[in-house]
Amino acid sequence: MAKRVREASTDRETGRARAVGRDPAAGRDPAAGRARAVERRGGFVREFVTGVGLLGRGFARYRRDPGLLIAGIIPALIAAIVVLGALGVLIYFATDISSAITPFADHWSSGPRDLIHVVAGLSLVGVCGLVAFVAFTSITLAIGDPFYERIAVRVEDELGGVPNAVDIPWWRSLGQNALESIRLVAVSAVVGIPLFVAGFLPVVGQTAVPVIGALIGGWFLAIELVGAPFARRGLRLADRRRVLRQNRPLAVGFGAAVFVCFLVPLGAIVTMPAAVAGAALLSHRVLGPGERDAALATVDRPF
């Protein structure tokens, strides 16, 4: 009887392990478990590096379509003036804002109080910079929609095109695109709050937090940049999130590379057309035939 109970318990554990996609033998074999963990990490790194390479392939388009990509710099320049102006105002008042959001330090001695104000100011500017990058991308794509649409279409046409692509006039998609961009900017602002708080932590706030911020910012940039290629298939913001979530290392690698380039002076302006081309490559890579077939069902009601 006791033997049957033990066997039944073992069978239940094995069933639960298989139900969640684990190999029961791996739990009993530490070496097999470690091998799988190394393989997963290797796959993550490989996909991440591939994502970074997609931006490099986007930059290579400057040699093939110099006129088209240079024309795409103009909307980026206009958006950069707007966003950098707003960010400049924030930096100018950063001292006053940091004092207002750290009232607990008002009665501290001058040394610690000034230090906490500096940390608060830097954290605030860092978080607002993350939001500013997403906002810059949204504004640039809205202003330069005709230019960037041509870049994305040309890239995908060279890869075989999009069968039965959904052709949506810009004036019909403008409202939906604006709403989706506002949602992304709002979510990035909310996500930035814990990063702002973590910025107060000694050492961690000045080392790990910027790296995490770049990865998170890269994720939001990837979601924003693939908007046009996904829209050609009748797919919306929720679909972008779902598909990229299934290819997260690839998407984060691409987006983080764009984020880092945006940090370089004038880098955002020069990078934007290449990022659009890279996003078309990313979309073509992650959208398999199943996704394209699903998109055809919404051709008559794309938004």
Side-chain angles (χ1 to χ4, degrees):
M1 179 67 178
K3 181 179 180 181
R4 285 199 297 272
V5 170
R6 285 195 298 270
E7 290 175 349
S9 176
T10 301
D11 290 341
R12 284 196 298 272
E13 291 175 1
T14 302
R16 283 195 296 268
R18 285 175 178 156
V20 298
R22 295 199 315 266
D23 182 358
R28 297 191 298 270
D29 187 352
R34 286 194 295 270
R36 278 187 175 78
V38 170
E39 183 179 355
R40 284 196 297 270
R41 286 195 297 271
F44 182 97
V45 173
R46 188 162 51 249
E47 287 293 289
F48 186 92
V49 172
T50 300
V52 175
L54 292 177
L55 179 61
R57 291 172 62 185
F59 274 114
R61 302 290 306 189
Y62 275 108
R63 290 182 299 177
R64 303 176 63 178
D65 300 308
L68 183 58
L69 269 70
I70 290 173
I73 289 177
I74 298 173
L77 179 61
I78 297 172
I81 292 172
V82 174
V83 174
L84 288 177
L87 199 58
V89 172
L90 172 69
I91 294 173
Y92 182 80
F93 291 104
T95 302
D96 296 332
I97 297 174
S98 61
S99 299
I101 61 179
T102 56
F104 55 86
D106 289 345
H107 304 293
W108 294 4
S109 59
S110 59
R113 184 178 63 245
D114 293 343
L115 177 61
I116 201 66
H117 286 170
V118 170
V119 172
L122 292 175
S123 300
L124 179 66
V125 171
V127 171
C128 290
L130 185 153
V131 177
F133 286 162
V134 180
F136 162 80
T137 304
S138 301
I139 296 171
T140 304
L141 292 176
I143 297 173
D145 181 72
F147 297 104
Y148 300 131
E149 179 72 15
R150 288 180 60 192
I151 292 172
V153 169
R154 186 168 297 183
V155 169
E156 289 208 279
D157 283 349
E158 292 178 2
L159 297 173
V162 179
N164 300 310
V166 180
D167 186 15
I168 308 167
W170 70 268
W171 50 269
R172 283 185 57 191
S173 61
L174 183 61
Q176 181 67 36
N177 291 341
L179 288 175
E180 291 182 347
S181 296
I182 291 172
R183 287 172 60 186
L184 275 177
V185 172
V187 171
S188 65
V190 172
V191 171
I193 293 175
L195 291 178
F196 171 75
V197 175
F200 288 93
L201 299 175
V203 182
V204 174
Q206 294 74 50
T207 54
V209 170
V211 174
I212 295 172
L215 296 176
I216 293 176
W219 169 251
F220 285 116
L221 288 178
I223 294 175
E224 183 66 50
L225 286 164
V226 299
F230 272 63
R232 293 185 71 204
R233 297 165 172 85
L235 301 175
R236 301 173 61 175
L237 177 59
D239 301 302
R240 285 186 255 163
R241 286 173 169 161
R242 173 175 55 81
V243 174
L244 292 187
R245 194 179 297 120
Q246 295 167 355
N247 300 271
R248 195 185 297 274
L250 187 70
V252 172
F254 168 72
V258 176
F259 189 96
V260 171
C261 288
F262 278 10
L263 293 174
V264 179
L266 301 179
I269 299 172
V270 176
T271 301
M272 194 63 197
V276 171
L281 294 169
L282 172 63
S283 301
H284 199 87
R285 186 183 182 94
V286 301
L287 287 172
E291 293 294 341
R292 296 189 181 98
D293 294 340
L296 298 180
T298 60
V299 166
D300 296 330
R301 47 182 179 82
F303 292 104

